Amino acid sequence: QVQLVESGGGLVQAGGSLRLSCAASGRTFSSYVMGWFRQAPGKEREFVATISRSGVSTYYADSVKGRFTISRDNAKNTVYLQMNSLKPEDTAVYYCAARSGDTLYSVPNSYPYWGQGTQVTVSS
């Protein structure tokens, strides 16, 4: 079982940037598809981005496409979410997730491993 720990959240102004990191335990990080999800108060957890095992393939929610970039460094067992041009509606707890295989699912329940989340607050 892998453990995931997110970091990098914080308070930023609209239009600013933030980079989230997710550190994974174990030696098999490269065998997992990684994803980022977020959950705002009173809302369902929603898909943000996912990346294939190799990092070659990515998929984004329409709401963040062109602004966010997911990447991974398998040598460091870390996945990143670079968030640019942040908007107040991006405010949420951001979660890192992992699943076996190499299919880029956007459904939260398809990811069995989750981090504890990191708060991102975008002020206007």
Side-chain angles (χ1 to χ4, degrees):
Q1 184 172 329
V2 301
Q3 283 77 48
L4 306 173
V5 180
E6 303 95 335
S7 63
L11 174 64
V12 297
Q13 293 184 338
S17 298
L18 204 61
R19 188 173 81 152
L20 306 183
S21 298
C22 174
S25 65
R27 305 172 184 174
T28 58
F29 176 72
S30 62
S31 69
Y32 293 99
V33 168
M34 302 298 297
W36 285 98
F37 296 80
R38 66 187 184 186
Q39 188 167 22
K43 295 185 178 181
E44 297 291 325
R45 188 166 300 187
E46 68 173 349
F47 167 75
V48 175
T50 184
I51 188 167
S52 63
R53 295 178 300 186
S54 67
V56 171
S57 299
T58 59
Y59 180 70
Y60 299 90
D62 288 341
S63 60
V64 306
K65 192 173 299 183
R67 300 187 298 120
F68 290 10
T69 302
I70 187 171
S71 62
R72 67 191 297 162
D73 187 340
N74 287 344
K76 295 183 177 180
N77 282 13
T78 304
V79 63
Y80 305 95
L81 185 68
Q82 178 66 47
M83 304 184 294
N84 298 326
S85 301
L86 283 163
K87 305 174 181 179
E89 51 262 44
D90 294 319
T91 295
V93 176
Y94 282 71
Y95 297 91
C96 174
R99 63 174 299 274
S100 299
D102 207 26
T103 302
L104 303 186
Y105 290 120
S106 62
V107 181
N109 287 344
S110 68
Y111 292 77
Y113 306 108
W114 293 83
Q116 83 292 338
T118 184
Q119 177 70 47
V120 172
T121 303
V122 184
S123 64
S124 59

